[in-house]
Amino acid sequence: MPFTIDSRPEVARMPLDAPNTVMLKAGCAPGEPLRVPSPFVTVAEDDRAAGGPLCRVPGVTFGFGPGSRYRKQVGVVDGRLRTCSVVWKAPGTPDEPAAQYVMAGDPRMAALFAGLPEGAGHGLVRTGCNGRPTVFYGNAGSGLRGSGRPGDRRVFENFTESVSRRIGCGAGEGA
């Protein structure tokens, strides 16, 4: 069933709406509700066709066949949140998510990944960066699974290593 997701700022507020509501009902809400502290940045891409490297992250590449209907989508790009995705586009149907890569360096955003299996093999790594809990997440859906170049796990490791450097995480700063 197709559905519509709101604008980027509205989507960013969604993970905060639940705790705000719960804290309000429990009587422990802070004076100010949780909010997204900075504007979202969208990086314009000259070519939206999927190719390498995805979202300009070295080593994040997939082997797409000729005539592929995959498209990359660069989302948020800042020091506390980075998103990159690949979607499958078919005429007359909504875009279907095919791969997602996220770096969440805000404690509340990182907490959203609590309870998920961890490790590079699961596509989820927790670390510390500049004293903040930071999460790196990557998932290739069934349509792309096995097409990461040189391999799916290495693509995730490349994402983690490259974005870590870009946001200034020191080597060996594990949490």
Coordinates of all heavy atoms in Angstrom, one line a residue, residues 22-97:
V22 N 5.1 10.6 25.4 CA 5.3 9.7 26.5 C 5.6 10.5 27.8 O 5.0 10.3 28.8 CB 6.3 8.6 26.3 CG1 6.6 7.8 27.5 CG2 5.7 7.7 25.2
M23 N 6.6 11.4 27.6 CA 7.1 12.2 28.8 C 5.9 13.1 29.3 O 5.7 13.3 30.5 CB 8.3 13.0 28.4 CG 9.5 12.2 28.3 SD 11.1 13.1 28.0 CE 10.7 13.9 26.5
L24 N 5.2 13.7 28.4 CA 4.0 14.5 28.7 C 3.0 13.7 29.5 O 2.5 14.1 30.6 CB 3.5 15.2 27.5 CG 2.4 16.2 27.7 CD1 3.0 17.4 28.4 CD2 1.8 16.6 26.4
K25 N 2.6 12.6 29.0 CA 1.6 11.7 29.7 C 2.1 11.2 31.0 O 1.3 11.0 31.9 CB 1.2 10.6 28.7 CG 0.5 11.1 27.5 CD -0.6 10.1 27.1 CE -1.3 10.6 25.8 NZ -2.5 11.4 26.1
A26 N 3.4 10.9 31.1 CA 4.0 10.4 32.4 C 4.2 11.5 33.4 O 4.6 11.2 34.5 CB 5.3 9.6 32.1
G27 N 4.1 12.7 33.0 CA 4.3 13.9 33.9 C 5.8 14.2 34.1 O 6.1 14.9 35.1
C28 N 6.6 13.8 33.2 CA 8.1 14.1 33.4 C 8.7 14.8 32.2 O 9.8 14.8 31.9 CB 8.8 12.8 33.7 SG 8.8 11.6 32.3
A29 N 7.8 15.6 31.5 CA 8.3 16.3 30.3 C 9.2 17.5 30.7 O 8.9 18.1 31.7 CB 7.1 16.8 29.5
P30 N 10.2 17.7 30.0 CA 11.1 18.9 30.3 C 10.3 20.2 29.9 O 9.3 20.1 29.3 CB 12.3 18.7 29.4 CG 11.8 17.8 28.3 CD 10.7 16.9 28.8
G31 N 10.8 21.3 30.4 CA 10.2 22.6 30.1 C 10.0 22.8 28.6 O 9.0 23.3 28.2
E32 N 11.0 22.4 27.8 CA 10.9 22.5 26.4 C 10.9 21.1 25.8 O 11.6 20.3 26.2 CB 12.2 23.2 25.8 CG 12.3 24.7 26.2 CD 11.3 25.6 25.5 OE1 11.1 25.3 24.3 OE2 10.7 26.5 26.1
P33 N 10.0 20.9 24.8 CA 10.0 19.5 24.2 C 11.3 19.3 23.4 O 12.0 20.2 23.0 CB 8.8 19.6 23.2 CG 8.5 21.0 23.0 CD 9.0 21.8 24.2
L34 N 11.6 18.0 23.2 CA 12.8 17.7 22.4 C 12.6 18.2 21.0 O 11.4 18.2 20.5 CB 12.9 16.1 22.3 CG 13.1 15.4 23.7 CD1 13.1 13.9 23.5 CD2 14.3 15.9 24.4
R35 N 13.6 18.6 20.4 CA 13.5 19.2 19.0 C 14.8 18.9 18.2 O 15.8 18.6 18.8 CB 13.2 20.7 19.1 CG 14.3 21.5 19.7 CD 14.0 23.0 19.8 NE 15.1 23.7 20.4 CZ 16.2 24.1 19.8 NH1 16.3 23.8 18.5 NH2 17.1 24.8 20.4
V36 N 14.7 19.1 16.9 CA 15.8 19.0 16.0 C 16.5 20.4 16.1 O 16.0 21.4 15.8 CB 15.4 18.7 14.6 CG1 16.6 18.6 13.7 CG2 14.6 17.4 14.6
P37 N 17.8 20.4 16.6 CA 18.5 21.6 16.8 C 19.0 22.4 15.6 O 19.4 23.5 15.7 CB 19.6 21.2 17.7 CG 19.9 19.8 17.4 CD 18.6 19.2 17.0
S38 N 19.1 21.7 14.5 CA 19.7 22.4 13.3 C 19.0 22.1 12.0 O 18.3 21.1 12.0 CB 21.2 22.0 13.2 OG 21.3 20.6 12.9
P39 N 19.1 22.9 11.1 CA 18.4 22.7 9.8 C 19.0 21.5 9.1 O 20.2 21.2 9.3 CB 18.6 24.0 9.0 CG 19.8 24.6 9.6 CD 19.8 24.2 11.0
F40 N 18.2 20.9 8.2 CA 18.7 19.8 7.4 C 19.4 20.3 6.1 O 18.9 21.3 5.6 CB 17.6 18.9 7.0 CG 17.2 18.0 8.2 CD1 16.3 18.5 9.1 CD2 17.7 16.8 8.4 CE1 15.9 17.7 10.2 CE2 17.4 16.0 9.4 CZ 16.5 16.4 10.4
V41 N 20.4 19.6 5.7 CA 21.1 20.0 4.5 C 20.9 18.9 3.5 O 21.0 17.7 3.8 CB 22.6 20.1 4.8 CG1 23.4 20.5 3.5 CG2 22.9 21.2 5.8
T42 N 20.5 19.3 2.3 CA 20.4 18.3 1.2 C 21.5 18.6 0.2 O 21.6 19.7 -0.2 CB 19.0 18.4 0.6 OG1 18.0 18.2 1.6 CG2 18.9 17.4 -0.6
V43 N 22.2 17.6 -0.2 CA 23.3 17.8 -1.2 C 22.7 17.5 -2.5 O 22.2 16.5 -2.8 CB 24.5 16.8 -0.9 CG1 25.5 16.9 -1.9 CG2 25.0 17.1 0.5
A44 N 22.9 18.5 -3.4 CA 22.4 18.3 -4.8 C 23.4 17.4 -5.6 O 24.6 17.5 -5.4 CB 22.4 19.7 -5.5
E45 N 22.9 16.5 -6.3 CA 23.7 15.6 -7.1 C 23.4 15.9 -8.6 O 22.3 16.1 -8.9 CB 23.3 14.1 -6.8 CG 23.6 13.6 -5.4 CD 25.0 13.3 -5.3 OE1 25.8 14.2 -5.0 OE2 25.4 12.1 -5.5
D46 N 24.5 16.0 -9.3 CA 24.3 16.2 -10.8 C 23.6 15.0 -11.4 O 22.8 15.2 -12.3 CB 25.6 16.5 -11.4 CG 26.3 17.8 -11.0 OD1 25.5 18.7 -10.6 OD2 27.5 17.8 -11.0
D47 N 23.9 13.8 -11.0 CA 23.4 12.6 -11.6 C 22.8 11.8 -10.6 O 23.4 11.3 -9.7 CB 24.6 11.9 -12.3 CG 24.1 10.5 -12.9 OD1 22.9 10.3 -13.0 OD2 25.0 9.7 -13.2
R48 N 21.4 11.7 -10.6 CA 20.7 10.9 -9.6 C 20.7 9.4 -9.9 O 20.2 8.6 -9.1 CB 19.3 11.4 -9.5 CG 19.3 12.9 -8.9 CD 18.0 13.4 -8.7 NE 17.2 12.5 -7.8 CZ 17.0 12.7 -6.5 NH1 17.6 13.7 -5.9 NH2 16.2 11.9 -5.8
A49 N 21.2 9.0 -11.1 CA 21.3 7.6 -11.4 C 22.3 6.9 -10.4 O 23.3 7.5 -10.1 CB 21.7 7.4 -12.8
A50 N 22.0 5.8 -10.0 CA 22.9 5.0 -9.0 C 24.2 4.7 -9.7 O 24.2 4.5 -10.9 CB 22.2 3.8 -8.5
G51 N 25.2 4.8 -9.0 CA 26.5 4.5 -9.5 C 27.5 4.6 -8.4 O 27.1 4.6 -7.2
G52 N 28.7 4.6 -8.6 CA 29.6 4.7 -7.5 C 30.4 6.0 -7.5 O 30.6 6.6 -8.6
P53 N 30.9 6.4 -6.4 CA 30.4 5.9 -5.1 C 29.1 6.6 -4.7 O 28.8 7.7 -5.1 CB 31.5 6.4 -4.2 CG 32.1 7.6 -4.8 CD 32.0 7.4 -6.3
L54 N 28.3 5.9 -4.0 CA 27.0 6.4 -3.5 C 27.3 7.6 -2.6 O 28.1 7.5 -1.7 CB 26.2 5.4 -2.8 CG 25.7 4.2 -3.8 CD1 24.9 3.2 -3.0 CD2 24.8 4.8 -4.9
C55 N 26.5 8.6 -2.7 CA 26.5 9.8 -1.8 C 27.9 10.3 -1.6 O 28.2 10.9 -0.6 CB 25.9 9.4 -0.5 SG 24.2 8.8 -0.6
R56 N 28.8 10.2 -2.6 CA 30.1 10.7 -2.6 C 31.0 10.1 -1.5 O 31.8 10.8 -1.0 CB 30.1 12.2 -2.6 CG 29.5 12.8 -3.8 CD 29.7 14.3 -3.8 NE 28.5 14.9 -4.3 CZ 27.9 15.9 -3.8 NH1 28.4 16.5 -2.7 NH2 26.8 16.4 -4.3
V57 N 30.6 8.9 -1.0 CA 31.4 8.3 0.0 C 32.3 7.2 -0.6 O 31.8 6.2 -1.2 CB 30.5 7.6 1.1 CG1 31.3 6.9 2.2 CG2 29.6 8.7 1.7
P58 N 33.6 7.4 -0.7 CA 34.5 6.4 -1.3 C 34.3 5.0 -0.8 O 34.2 4.8 0.4 CB 35.9 6.9 -0.9 CG 35.7 8.4 -0.6 CD 34.3 8.5 0.0
G59 N 34.2 4.1 -1.7 CA 34.1 2.7 -1.4 C 32.7 2.2 -1.1 O 32.5 1.0 -0.8
V60 N 31.7 3.1 -1.3 CA 30.3 2.7 -1.1 C 29.7 2.6 -2.5 O 29.2 3.5 -3.1 CB 29.5 3.7 -0.2 CG1 28.1 3.3 -0.1 CG2 30.2 3.9 1.1
T61 N 30.0 1.4 -3.1 CA 29.5 1.1 -4.5 C 28.8 -0.2 -4.6 O 29.1 -1.1 -3.8 CB 30.7 1.1 -5.4 OG1 31.7 0.1 -5.0 CG2 31.4 2.5 -5.4
F62 N 27.9 -0.3 -5.5 CA 27.2 -1.5 -5.8 C 27.4 -1.8 -7.3 O 27.5 -0.9 -8.1 CB 25.7 -1.4 -5.5 CG 25.4 -1.4 -4.0 CD1 25.4 -0.2 -3.3 CD2 25.2 -2.6 -3.4 CE1 25.2 -0.2 -2.0 CE2 24.9 -2.6 -2.0 CZ 24.9 -1.4 -1.3
G63 N 27.2 -3.1 -7.7 CA 27.3 -3.5 -9.1 C 25.8 -3.5 -9.6 O 25.1 -4.4 -9.3
F64 N 25.4 -2.4 -10.3 CA 24.1 -2.3 -10.9 C 24.2 -2.8 -12.3 O 25.1 -2.5 -13.0 CB 23.6 -0.9 -10.8 CG 23.5 -0.3 -9.4 CD1 24.4 0.6 -9.0 CD2 22.5 -0.7 -8.6 CE1 24.3 1.1 -7.7 CE2 22.4 -0.2 -7.3 CZ 23.3 0.7 -6.9
G65 N 23.2 -3.5 -12.7 CA 23.1 -4.0 -14.1 C 22.8 -2.9 -15.1 O 22.3 -1.8 -14.7
P66 N 23.0 -3.2 -16.4 CA 22.7 -2.2 -17.4 C 21.2 -1.9 -17.4 O 20.4 -2.8 -17.2 CB 23.1 -2.8 -18.7 CG 23.5 -4.2 -18.4 CD 23.6 -4.4 -16.9
G67 N 20.8 -0.7 -17.6 CA 19.4 -0.3 -17.6 C 18.8 -0.3 -16.2 O 17.6 -0.4 -16.1
S68 N 19.6 -0.3 -15.2 CA 19.1 -0.4 -13.8 C 18.1 0.8 -13.5 O 18.3 1.9 -14.0 CB 20.3 -0.3 -12.8 OG 19.9 -0.1 -11.5
R69 N 17.2 0.5 -12.6 CA 16.2 1.5 -12.2 C 16.5 2.0 -10.8 O 15.6 2.5 -10.1 CB 14.8 1.0 -12.3 CG 14.4 0.8 -13.7 CD 12.9 0.4 -13.7 NE 12.5 0.3 -15.1 CZ 11.4 -0.3 -15.5 NH1 10.6 -0.9 -14.6 NH2 11.1 -0.3 -16.8
Y70 N 17.7 1.8 -10.3 CA 18.1 2.2 -9.0 C 18.5 3.7 -9.1 O 19.1 4.1 -10.0 CB 19.3 1.4 -8.4 CG 18.9 0.0 -8.0 CD1 19.2 -1.1 -8.8 CD2 18.1 -0.2 -6.9 CE1 18.9 -2.4 -8.4 CE2 17.8 -1.5 -6.5 CZ 18.1 -2.6 -7.3 OH 17.8 -3.8 -6.9
R71 N 18.2 4.4 -8.0 CA 18.6 5.8 -7.9 C 19.1 6.1 -6.5 O 18.6 5.6 -5.5 CB 17.4 6.8 -8.2 CG 16.8 6.6 -9.6 CD 17.7 7.3 -10.6 NE 17.1 7.2 -11.9 CZ 17.5 6.3 -12.8 NH1 18.4 5.4 -12.6 NH2 16.9 6.3 -14.0
K72 N 20.2 6.9 -6.4 CA 20.7 7.3 -5.1 C 20.0 8.5 -4.6 O 19.6 9.4 -5.4 CB 22.2 7.5 -5.2 CG 22.6 8.6 -6.1 CD 24.2 8.6 -6.2 CE 24.6 9.5 -7.3 NZ 26.0 9.4 -7.5
Q73 N 19.9 8.6 -3.3 CA 19.3 9.8 -2.7 C 20.2 10.2 -1.5 O 20.3 9.5 -0.6 CB 17.9 9.5 -2.2 CG 16.9 9.2 -3.3 CD 15.5 8.9 -2.8 OE1 15.3 8.5 -1.7 NE2 14.5 9.1 -3.7
V74 N 20.8 11.4 -1.7 CA 21.5 12.0 -0.6 C 20.6 12.7 0.3 O 19.8 13.5 -0.2 CB 22.6 13.0 -1.1 CG1 23.4 13.6 0.1 CG2 23.5 12.2 -2.1
G75 N 20.6 12.4 1.6 CA 19.7 13.1 2.5 C 20.5 14.1 3.4 O 21.2 14.9 2.8
V76 N 20.4 14.0 4.6 CA 21.0 14.9 5.6 C 22.5 14.7 5.6 O 23.0 13.6 5.5 CB 20.5 14.6 7.0 CG1 21.1 15.5 8.0 CG2 19.0 14.7 7.1
V77 N 23.2 15.8 5.6 CA 24.7 15.8 5.6 C 25.2 16.8 6.6 O 25.2 18.0 6.3 CB 25.3 16.0 4.2 CG1 26.8 16.0 4.3 CG2 24.8 15.0 3.2
D78 N 25.4 16.4 7.9 CA 26.0 17.3 8.8 C 26.8 16.5 9.8 O 26.9 15.2 9.7 CB 25.0 18.2 9.5 CG 24.1 17.6 10.5 OD1 24.3 16.5 11.0 OD2 23.0 18.2 10.8
G79 N 27.4 17.1 10.8 CA 28.3 16.4 11.7 C 27.6 15.4 12.7 O 28.2 14.6 13.3
R80 N 26.3 15.5 12.8 CA 25.6 14.6 13.7 C 24.6 13.7 13.1 O 24.1 12.8 13.7 CB 24.8 15.5 14.8 CG 25.8 16.2 15.7 CD 25.1 16.8 16.8 NE 26.1 17.4 17.7 CZ 26.1 17.4 19.0 NH1 25.1 16.7 19.6 NH2 27.0 18.0 19.7
L81 N 24.3 13.9 11.8 CA 23.4 13.0 11.1 C 23.8 13.0 9.6 O 23.9 14.1 9.0 CB 22.0 13.4 11.3 CG 20.9 12.5 10.6 CD1 20.9 11.1 11.2 CD2 19.5 13.1 10.8
R82 N 24.0 11.8 9.0 CA 24.2 11.7 7.6 C 23.3 10.5 7.1 O 23.3 9.5 7.8 CB 25.6 11.4 7.3 CG 26.5 12.6 7.5 CD 27.9 12.4 7.1 NE 28.7 13.5 7.5 CZ 29.4 14.2 6.7 NH1 29.6 13.9 5.5 NH2 30.1 15.3 7.2
T83 N 22.6 10.7 6.0 CA 21.8 9.7 5.5 C 22.1 9.6 4.0 O 22.4 10.5 3.3 CB 20.3 9.9 5.7 OG1 19.9 11.1 5.0 CG2 20.0 10.0 7.2
C84 N 22.0 8.3 3.5 CA 22.2 8.0 2.1 C 21.4 6.8 1.8 O 21.3 5.9 2.6 CB 23.7 7.7 1.8 SG 24.0 7.2 0.1
S85 N 20.7 6.8 0.7 CA 19.8 5.7 0.4 C 19.8 5.4 -1.1 O 20.2 6.3 -1.9 CB 18.4 5.9 0.9 OG 17.8 7.0 0.3
V86 N 19.4 4.2 -1.5 CA 19.2 3.8 -2.8 C 17.8 3.3 -2.9 O 17.3 2.6 -2.0 CB 20.2 2.6 -3.2 CG1 19.9 2.2 -4.6 CG2 21.6 3.0 -3.0
V87 N 17.1 3.8 -4.0 CA 15.7 3.3 -4.2 C 15.6 2.7 -5.5 O 16.3 3.0 -6.4 CB 14.7 4.5 -4.0 CG1 14.7 5.0 -2.6 CG2 15.0 5.6 -5.0
W88 N 14.6 1.8 -5.6 CA 14.3 1.2 -6.9 C 13.1 2.0 -7.4 O 12.1 2.2 -6.8 CB 13.8 -0.3 -6.7 CG 13.2 -0.9 -7.9 CD1 11.9 -1.1 -8.1 CD2 13.9 -1.5 -9.0 NE1 11.7 -1.8 -9.3 CE2 12.9 -2.0 -9.9 CE3 15.2 -1.6 -9.4 CZ2 13.2 -2.6 -11.1 CZ3 15.5 -2.2 -10.6 CH2 14.5 -2.7 -11.4
K89 N 13.2 2.5 -8.7 CA 12.2 3.3 -9.3 C 11.6 2.5 -10.4 O 12.2 2.0 -11.3 CB 12.8 4.6 -9.8 CG 13.4 5.5 -8.7 CD 13.8 6.8 -9.3 CE 12.7 7.7 -9.6 NZ 11.9 8.2 -8.6
A90 N 10.3 2.3 -10.4 CA 9.5 1.7 -11.4 C 8.4 2.6 -11.8 O 7.7 3.2 -10.9 CB 9.0 0.3 -11.0
P91 N 8.1 2.8 -13.1 CA 7.1 3.7 -13.6 C 5.7 3.4 -12.9 O 5.3 2.2 -12.8 CB 7.0 3.4 -15.1 CG 8.3 2.8 -15.4 CD 8.7 2.1 -14.2
G92 N 5.1 4.4 -12.4 CA 3.7 4.3 -11.9 C 3.6 3.7 -10.5 O 2.6 3.4 -10.0
T93 N 4.8 3.5 -9.8 CA 4.8 2.9 -8.4 C 5.6 3.8 -7.6 O 6.5 4.5 -8.0 CB 5.3 1.5 -8.4 OG1 6.7 1.5 -8.8 CG2 4.5 0.5 -9.3
P94 N 5.4 3.8 -6.2 CA 6.2 4.6 -5.3 C 7.7 4.0 -5.3 O 7.9 2.8 -5.6 CB 5.6 4.4 -4.0 CG 4.3 3.7 -4.2 CD 4.3 3.1 -5.6
D95 N 8.6 4.9 -5.0 CA 10.0 4.4 -4.9 C 10.1 3.3 -3.8 O 9.4 3.5 -2.7 CB 10.9 5.6 -4.5 CG 11.0 6.6 -5.5 OD1 10.5 6.4 -6.7 OD2 11.6 7.7 -5.3
E96 N 10.8 2.3 -4.0 CA 11.0 1.2 -3.0 C 12.4 1.3 -2.5 O 13.4 1.2 -3.2 CB 10.8 -0.1 -3.7 CG 10.9 -1.3 -2.8 CD 10.7 -2.6 -3.5 OE1 9.8 -2.6 -4.4 OE2 11.3 -3.6 -3.1
P97 N 12.6 1.4 -1.1 CA 13.9 1.5 -0.5 C 14.7 0.2 -0.9 O 14.2 -0.9 -0.8 CB 13.6 1.5 1.0 CG 12.2 2.0 1.1 CD 11.5 1.5 -0.1

